[in-house]
Amino acid sequence: MSGEVNPPTDVKPVVSSVILDGSAVVNMLKPVNIKSFNEYALKVFIPYIQNIGKDVQRIDIVFDTYIDNSLKASTRGKRGKGIRRRVQDETNVPGNWQEFLRLDENKIELFHFLADKITSAGIDNEIVVTDKINALGNTAEHSYELLSPFANPGMPSPDLFGWQKLDGTWVPFWSVLAEASMSCQELIHCGCKKGCRGACKCLKAALKCTALCKCSPDCERETD
């Protein structure tokens, strides 16, 4: 046999589970023509999860956790603040979904709400979902304690790695050292073409001309 063998492109890989970024799903699924958070869960979020899981046995949904005093928290702060709204069954969903999601408290409460709804929805798939510092599931015979994420894994402070906090926001700490060209004498070189005289950089620095200089290797100047 000769030539390359190309595998068929219409064959789906066989998988038994899928892992979803719950925060990304919520950002993507905007509540169009939806009145309450309960309606959002029942008509938008849960149907989407069911559709994703129609070819797999297990669905893992991982929601973000929000750690204070972190670089990511500072980045979110730059996006602006949203309006606080309690997430309950009959509470109206906000008109501006993205503004609602800018506030960490809103997202934490929404993720908890959706985690509870999805695990009690009676879906045939096995569901595993993070809920703050815990992991929940819809299968009673399984224990999910060992899957629980850490609320705060003890991350070191960013100020140990070149960041400083100004007005409550982490910003890079720029070096106060002089530029290399100003502090490394080895990089000093002149552009003299007809002998090194008064304007010569090497002469002013009391250095010998090197291969970096334009006068080299014909320079006959002697240093003091």
Side-chain angles (χ1 to χ4, degrees):
M1 296 179 65
S2 61
E4 296 182 357
V5 177
N6 296 320
T9 58
D10 58 345
V11 178
K12 292 183 178 180
V14 178
V15 295
S16 60
S17 62
V18 63
I19 301 174
L20 299 177
D21 182 337
S23 307
V25 171
V26 168
N27 272 277
M28 178 182 65
L29 298 178
K30 297 177 175 59
V32 180
N33 298 324
I34 296 296
K35 294 183 179 180
S36 67
F37 282 106
N38 184 58
E39 192 176 356
Y40 176 78
L42 298 180
K43 294 185 178 181
V44 179
F45 185 75
I46 292 175
Y48 176 83
I49 300 300
Q50 287 177 308
N51 183 62
I52 291 292
K54 61 185 179 182
D55 296 322
V56 298
Q57 297 175 353
R58 170 171 161 170
I59 305 171
D60 286 38
I61 306 171
V62 182
F63 286 117
D64 284 348
T65 56
Y66 300 100
I67 302 173
D68 294 333
N69 199 38
S70 66
L71 295 179
K72 193 171 182 180
S74 293
T75 301
R76 290 194 302 270
K78 293 178 182 178
R79 299 171 186 164
K81 290 288 186 180
I83 299 174
R84 180 72 174 102
R85 180 165 302 195
R86 297 302 303 271
V87 180
Q88 297 174 337
D89 278 341
E90 301 307 320
T91 303
N92 291 335
V93 295
N96 191 325
W97 190 243
Q98 295 304 319
E99 185 177 85
F100 167 77
L101 294 177
R102 286 196 186 105
L103 201 63
D104 289 352
E105 291 85 349
N106 290 340
K107 289 184 287 188
I108 291 171
E109 201 166 86
L110 176 62
F111 297 161
H112 172 72
F113 178 83
L114 294 176
D116 180 67
K117 290 292 183 181
I118 195 69
T119 52
S120 60
I123 297 177
D124 293 334
N125 309 79
E126 180 182 0
I127 301 291
V128 180
V129 57
T130 59
D131 177 28
K132 299 180 182 177
I133 64 172
N134 301 309
L136 306 178
N138 64 344
T139 306
E141 58 266 23
H142 291 172
S143 174
Y144 301 101
E145 293 181 359
L146 297 179
L147 297 178
S148 298
F150 292 109
N152 188 342
M155 298 295 291
S157 176
D159 61 9
L160 300 176
F161 300 95
W163 295 81
Q164 60 180 339
K165 206 164 193 179
L166 297 177
D167 299 326
T169 301
W170 287 108
V171 296
F173 179 79
W174 300 107
S175 175
V176 295
L177 297 176
E179 296 179 12
S181 60
M182 302 295 293
S183 58
C184 296
Q185 288 191 331
E186 291 82 356
L187 297 179
I188 295 177
H189 60 281
C190 68
C192 305
K193 297 180 179 179
K194 297 182 179 180
C196 297
R197 296 181 175 82
C200 175
K201 292 182 180 180
C202 297
L203 181 62
K204 291 180 179 180
L207 296 174
K208 290 184 178 181
C209 291
T210 67
L212 295 176
C213 301
K214 288 190 176 181
C215 64
S216 182
D218 301 323
C219 183
E220 298 179 354
R221 180 181 63 81
E222 295 183 358
T223 57
D224 296 335

